[in-house]
Amino acid sequence: MRPENRALDQLRPISIETGVSRYAEGSCLIRFGHTHVLVTASVDENVPRWMKGKGKGWVTAEYGMLPRSTHTRNDREAARGKQGGRTVEIQRLIGRSLRAVIDLEALGERQIVIDCDVMQADGGTRTASITGAWVALSQACAGLVEQGLIAKNPVTAPMAAVSCGIVDGTCRLDLEYVEDAAAQADANFVLTQTGGIIEVQATAEDEPFTSEQMDELTRLARNGIAELCEMQEAALA
Amino acid sequence: MRPENRALDQLRPISIETGVSRYAEGSCLIRFGHTHVLVTASVDENVPRWMKGKGKGWVTAEYGMLPRSTHTRNDREAARGKQGGRTVEIQRLIGRSLRAVIDLEALGERQIVIDCDVMQADGGTRTASITGAWVALSQACAGLVEQGLIAKNPVTAPMAAVSCGIVDGTCRLDLEYVEDAAAQADANFVLTQTGGIIEVQATAEDEPFTSEQMDELTRLARNGIAELCEMQEAALA
Amino acid sequence: MRPENRALDQLRPISIETGVSRYAEGSCLIRFGHTHVLVTASVDENVPRWMKGKGKGWVTAEYGMLPRSTHTRNDREAARGKQGGRTVEIQRLIGRSLRAVIDLEALGERQIVIDCDVMQADGGTRTASITGAWVALSQACAGLVEQGLIAKNPVTAPMAAVSCGIVDGTCRLDLEYVEDAAAQADANFVLTQTGGIIEVQATAEDEPFTSEQMDELTRLARNGIAELCEMQEAALA
Amino acid sequence: MRPENRALDQLRPISIETGVSRYAEGSCLIRFGHTHVLVTASVDENVPRWMKGKGKGWVTAEYGMLPRSTHTRNDREAARGKQGGRTVEIQRLIGRSLRAVIDLEALGERQIVIDCDVMQADGGTRTASITGAWVALSQACAGLVEQGLIAKNPVTAPMAAVSCGIVDGTCRLDLEYVEDAAAQADANFVLTQTGGIIEVQATAEDEPFTSEQMDELTRLARNGIAELCEMQEAALA
Amino acid sequence: MRPENRALDQLRPISIETGVSRYAEGSCLIRFGHTHVLVTASVDENVPRWMKGKGKGWVTAEYGMLPRSTHTRNDREAARGKQGGRTVEIQRLIGRSLRAVIDLEALGERQIVIDCDVMQADGGTRTASITGAWVALSQACAGLVEQGLIAKNPVTAPMAAVSCGIVDGTCRLDLEYVEDAAAQADANFVLTQTGGIIEVQATAEDEPFTSEQMDELTRLARNGIAELCEMQEAALA
Amino acid sequence: MRPENRALDQLRPISIETGVSRYAEGSCLIRFGHTHVLVTASVDENVPRWMKGKGKGWVTAEYGMLPRSTHTRNDREAARGKQGGRTVEIQRLIGRSLRAVIDLEALGERQIVIDCDVMQADGGTRTASITGAWVALSQACAGLVEQGLIAKNPVTAPMAAVSCGIVDGTCRLDLEYVEDAAAQADANFVLTQTGGIIEVQATAEDEPFTSEQMDELTRLARNGIAELCEMQEAALA
């Protein structure tokens, strides 16, 4: 009944290819089905001005979509002269999520900037971005340890993200675009490998949904994220 | 142990004063303790361009803080020339929440614009805004019915919002600023009077939290929102 | 003949309520009839960069209207991404007027920022803003003296502002909106209690007016401002 | 005692050269001493959108300074991406002043856009701009009559502008930059040839001034403007 | 002597992979050594407003670099709120070049928008973009013919672009970044397969160069572009 | 056959009037027929932040057109809030061209800012700007030598610019607007007096042109520029 006969609790085909950037300190191309996001992690030895002298580091993220990553072309945000509300919301979410699993003091007074650029979009770009961002961030941190700049890797836990939703009355894992567009509710989960909650955002589209449905969405997410964390680990190995 | 000896499941003193604007079709000044938000609902007989001719209405919201609503003065967004990421996120949340409890076809091809302006901020401005916005929207819709412009009130359900959080290891309802600043986790709930879920946003501040804690936050929110809906009803009576 | 039978030389009902902000160093809600402006004075221990090291302080002002302070909703300037010409003009006028009655050296190297936010507009918002701003500024300065940060209050004279205009051929004090919209000429006066001139801005709407009319407008303003200064004094007492 | 031994009631050397633009419907280069402003009037057969179908025309103005018109270079406003507050204020003043002496219905449904660009600035750029703008506007209107597009010239009265000020305790006509910088008060007058008031803007710089001083400034302006109107007439002849 | 022992008249390894976007009407990933550009062509059945009703089509281009496509991270233009001068220059060049080899009337009243996004930059991004853009444009046009929307392919000639430069006194084809940074002169050529000139931009870096050197650069470009056109043809086959 | 019977290799009447600005360190009004550009050179004793402490100077340029310099009025870029792509391209070209003939170390750690403002436009504004900019720059540098701030004039060579084009199949020097609008190709040359190449930009308008035509355009430019350099020399004498 789902496109390509996916089971309700089944992820799309996932791939995480690391080392895709010749210059970035960490990078991967992550694919959730036809959703493809290129993620880079850039180490900057300066922190933002408001953090100077606090002996702590910072992690922040930016997000963008190529104009023709979508079915019809969207305006380029650089040309329009501002980032849209959705972009701002997503990049704040990515940065916040990563900061929940990093020890900023152990990072030292430096900044890591994550760039998530959507090459192709078929639903779930923000959760794919977070999942890939954790990989690129981990790589960049590992590099700092290798170079002897910090003593231990400041990443404190494996973590990933996935979207779930209610479509045609059924709770489903990892919505693709056609499902997303038809969903009665849409929820994004950012969880640690062991189910610790980093961020949950659940939204009813047309009308409210029940807490039983919310529990089912949470269960789907927890299992999906456990799988994603294994793939992250494999990609980094 | 909470400021002013509040119980963990106790709301701050709430007041909702309607009719505070001489011109707006709906308005209220809502107070959650020292958080004061002025909300107006403006009926516009035109819908946005992209909705023209669809026979449906639209509800949208804007949010702002007076520069000195906070402990120290913040830059005026109009002077800086752009709305910050937090503002954009909040006003999108307010609009989305309201659209979940309104029948846009019953509203007819017109727009209602909600303005939430924070006069004074002591935590929970976004949830106070949503709670007040429902009141102002209901008033404006009632006015349309009275004028015979629409046949029935398009608001489909009572709804309110509240923030909860984990502070010093305890789950608490309706955080004020000092609690919010010290919270390990922070969650905003938008629910109907009967507990239907419209929006849930939960965020870990420093480290992940458990799903048991999430359940407790949800329980607190459900009770708080039931209380708030009674106050909304009283304010509109 | 004037709305509500006001005499030509009569102010609207005025009220000045101080202490309306929990956080600001000075504040008031000033009402000229249905025109309501919330004014705060914020002390900032830093001066703008271009004034550093000169041993003098600075006073500046910002002005805004809530989107639905007016009969029909206006776009939010923060959302449009720039302050309109009228806003810029008014806030420059407010700042300039205040600086004419303050000894910037006595203020010391710190800045006071005045925010005038129009809650409801029925004509005369800029003159109500200036009149209220003097109150908030005086309060903030008194606070600096009380804290022992400066030796004497740097405010050098009582001052207020009022608009006058020519409507239906008669010169009138303190125009409200319907009069303003029909005025042949419109003049804003900022004067000291004793009639010293700080700023005069007189504008013909359709055709030029005579210097005799200008003299009559000036006479009305001088009396109105003397009254306003008494109310300011009472509000601060 | 004044620079170059000018009398207190004496204008700087004035010249008004018309026809300086090959393309504009009206144009002049106006010089008040070392202040030089290039003014063009452009006829546009479309009115702004909000005026369509009202059977009336519109006159508006824009103002700019070349970056090195001043003693030290100023940033180019086009490069900074916004017009400063002073620019906005001045161009609003120019437009408003011109609209007080034009019959917008007689102009027909078309727009005249005045551009005032300061080539060199030595005080009084806004009043030179207005004085030159009246010339360019008159020329453009005369052209419309000549082409048979309108029946009569819609300009209703000769008009000019001049600045006056109080320097070293003396009231003076037509301040140049060194005087302006030292002035205790500064006033700009826009008057008709016969002394009708179009706009008066008087500002105390450091401390309030008296109404006797205001009267003297007005007297100086009235005489100066009568002279300027003769020069405008000569330039157009 | 050149990096990786390239001959002076030798291109870097080139690859052109088509069909890389699931949604775009034309697309390719073009690589000139380590310079990688993703190009899409989007067909839009609307022309820009100023072209409506002229019975002709339009081709335009936008260009961007991913923030970490370069050795050190650059600010994201969407975040800075404007496209830099270099970006604007490049995208104008791409669009102009393409319009020289397309029959806009044969294209019909529709627009093709080319997006060139640099994934990785190692010199020559603008010429790689043009070379790839011709491929994507050709594909999109072929699609229009296939769908029967136009009768014949409006692309009038094979065309490509390459950079040349003078480094250490020698003229070289297809500069990579380390050469570009050390070049005495830098020239970009856009030529047809048969050497017809579409655009030439030659720039001295430190001091002028001779017309003999210009001739040698032109000769190198002509040969390189003939090679590139063969690769384009192969990629489209 | 050309307008006003000009020969194909003939410049329009050229004049270069220096000393037109009372304040700028260098200035001229340059006329190529009806194209008039006012150029100023401003010496700034500070270099841009990114050049601090390198012991070298900088030369940069800005370009603008008065709104009514053209046949029909163009929007003012300061009012639109951004410089257009054409403006950005031209001012980058002017700055780059000047930096090719100045010894930035000999200039010392200071900046010279060139402003080119088009008073009237009839084709060739960018090349007139460059030609005039060299004069203003030379003047400003001579002034630095005279004041003893630098030992020798850092300008290394005489240089000028001219446009050429192919119109009605003939190659022509110094196109005016009506020719430019009808040109099959358009080329701008920036050369030293002796023919050294600083910048060449050649663009086909509708279809590619041949390298023989390019050679002829180059020949015309070389002769025209030699003439222009003599006029520059005369203007500076």
Side-chain angles (χ1 to χ4, degrees), chain F residues 2 30 35-36 40 56 68 83 97 105-106 120 132 142 149 155 157 160 206 215 224 231:
Chain F
R2 291 186 79 180
I30 187 163
T35 290
H36 304 172
T40 56
K56 305 199 320 180
R68 194 55 196 279
Q83 295 180 301
S97 296
E105 282 169 29
Q120 201 169 271
L149 289 167
V155 176
D206 282 323
D215 291 345
M231 294 180 209

Side-chain angles (χ1 to χ4, degrees), chain D residues 204-225:
Chain D
E205 283 306 318
D206 282 323
E207 49 185 49
F209 59 99
T210 68
S211 55
E212 290 70 33
Q213 289 173 311
M214 183 69 190
D215 290 345
E216 174 61 7
L217 295 174
T218 305
R219 201 191 57 78
L220 287 169
R222 200 171 299 142
N223 293 338
I225 282 171

Side-chain angles (χ1 to χ4, degrees), chain F residues 61-137:
Chain F
E62 290 188 1
Y63 169 93
M65 296 180 86
L66 294 195
R68 194 55 196 279
S69 58
T70 43
H71 288 75
T72 58
R73 187 177 183 275
N74 286 302
D75 285 348
R76 187 176 288 266
E77 290 187 325
R80 277 195 299 151
K82 67 184 272 197
Q83 295 180 301
R86 180 184 167 276
T87 294
V88 168
E89 226 177 85
I90 291 175
Q91 64 193 13
R92 283 164 58 90
L93 168 63
I94 300 170
R96 208 162 58 221
S97 296
L98 295 172
R99 288 192 297 272
V101 291
I102 192 157
D103 177 343
L104 292 173
E105 282 169 29
L107 177 58
E109 199 158 322
R110 60 176 59 81
Q111 184 177 216
I112 300 183
V113 182
I114 303 294
D115 285 289
C116 300
D117 284 277
V118 178
M119 303 285 110
Q120 201 169 271
D122 189 30
T125 64
R126 82 187 69 188
T127 45
S129 293
I130 293 169
T131 304
W134 187 86
V135 172
L137 176 66

Side-chain angles (χ1 to χ4, degrees), chain A residues 82-86 88-89 92-93 96 99-102 126 157 192 195-211 214-215 218 222, chain B residues 82-86 88-89 92-93 96 99-102 126 157 192 195-211 214-215 218 222:
Chain A
K82 68 184 272 198
Q83 295 180 302
R86 180 182 168 278
V88 168
E89 228 176 85
R92 283 163 59 89
L93 168 63
R96 208 162 58 223
R99 289 191 297 272
V101 291
I102 192 156
R126 83 186 68 189
T192 62
I197 298 173
I198 291 167
E199 183 106 14
V200 175
Q201 294 190 340
T203 305
E205 282 306 317
D206 283 323
E207 49 185 49
F209 58 98
T210 67
S211 54
M214 183 70 190
D215 290 344
T218 305
R222 201 172 299 143
Chain B
K82 67 185 272 198
Q83 294 180 302
R86 179 183 168 277
V88 168
E89 226 176 85
R92 283 163 59 91
L93 169 63
R96 208 161 57 221
R99 288 192 298 272
V101 290
I102 192 156
R126 81 187 70 187
T192 62
I197 298 173
I198 291 167
E199 183 106 14
V200 175
Q201 294 190 340
T203 305
E205 283 307 317
D206 282 324
E207 49 185 50
F209 59 99
T210 67
S211 55
M214 184 69 190
D215 290 345
T218 305
R222 200 172 298 142

Side-chain angles (χ1 to χ4, degrees), chain C residues 39 50 57-63 87-104 107 111-116 126 129-131 133-134 137 159 161 190 198-199 201, chain D residues 89 203-206:
Chain C
V39 186
W50 54 272
W58 189 242
V59 174
T60 188
E62 289 189 0
Y63 170 93
T87 294
V88 169
E89 228 176 85
I90 292 175
Q91 65 193 14
R92 283 163 58 90
L93 168 63
I94 300 169
R96 209 161 58 221
S97 297
L98 295 172
R99 288 192 298 271
V101 291
I102 193 156
D103 178 343
L104 292 174
L107 177 58
Q111 184 177 216
I112 300 183
V113 182
I114 302 293
D115 286 288
C116 299
R126 81 187 69 188
S129 293
I130 293 168
T131 304
W134 186 87
L137 176 66
M159 163 272 251
V190 187
I198 291 168
E199 182 106 13
Q201 294 190 341
Chain D
E89 226 177 86
T203 306
E205 283 306 318
D206 282 323

Side-chain angles (χ1 to χ4, degrees), chain E residues 37-107:
Chain E
V37 185
L38 182 64
V39 186
T40 57
S42 298
V43 176
D44 178 352
E45 290 296 321
N46 298 298
V47 288
R49 182 177 309 211
W50 53 272
M51 283 203 68
K52 289 242 164 87
K54 300 201 175 162
K56 306 199 320 181
W58 189 242
V59 174
T60 188
E62 290 189 1
Y63 171 93
M65 297 181 85
L66 294 195
R68 194 56 196 280
S69 57
T70 43
H71 288 75
T72 57
R73 187 178 183 274
N74 287 301
D75 285 349
R76 188 177 287 267
E77 290 187 326
R80 277 196 300 149
K82 67 184 273 198
Q83 295 180 302
R86 180 182 168 278
T87 295
V88 168
E89 227 176 84
I90 291 175
Q91 64 193 14
R92 283 163 59 89
L93 168 63
I94 300 170
R96 209 163 56 222
S97 297
L98 295 172
R99 289 192 297 273
V101 290
I102 192 157
D103 177 343
L104 293 173
E105 282 170 27
L107 177 57

